[in-house]
Amino acid sequence: MSPWLGVGVKTSVNEPGYQGVKVDSVAEGSPGEKAGILSGDIITHIAGTAVPDPGILVQTVANLKIGESYPVTLVRDGKQMVVTVRIAHRPTTVPLR
């Protein structure tokens, strides 16, 4: 079983004051959706680890424990916020929003 956040990211964002990855999609019923992560959010950290590019986000999530909760720092509309996400196992099919 693979740890799963349930967000799609493709683009790195480097703005004054923060850098991270832009959320392009959020899977329906995913840990990310349940935590309130929205398409367009910029994820800057997960579990205390900076995520300056999509590869680092994928690698970081892969090392998290299924069933455990972790802080996700994100920027939405220019404002930083922290949500808590409970990592789940990756399902065989993933509906995207």
Side-chain angles (χ1 to χ4, degrees):
M1 290 192 297
S2 300
W4 184 54
L5 180 58
V7 299
V9 296
K10 295 179 187 170
T11 309
S12 296
V13 175
N14 192 355
E15 296 288 336
Y18 65 89
Q19 66 182 74
V21 293
K22 183 177 182 181
V23 176
D24 295 316
S25 60
V26 182
E28 191 175 322
S30 69
E33 182 188 56
K34 291 175 183 176
I37 297 172
L38 302 175
S39 182
D41 286 347
I42 309 299
I43 298 175
T44 61
H45 293 78
I46 183 165
T49 300
V51 288
D53 65 66
I56 299 293
L57 177 65
V58 170
Q59 181 180 19
T60 301
V61 171
N63 290 319
L64 300 178
K65 293 182 180 179
I66 294 169
E68 295 292 321
S69 294
Y70 299 93
V72 175
T73 304
L74 54 88
V75 177
R76 179 181 298 157
D77 299 325
K79 296 180 182 175
Q80 182 175 303
M81 57 190 297
V82 178
V83 298
T84 301
V85 64
R86 186 170 182 222
I87 299 298
H89 68 276
R90 178 179 294 282
T92 53
T93 58
V94 179
L96 295 178
R97 286 199 163 172

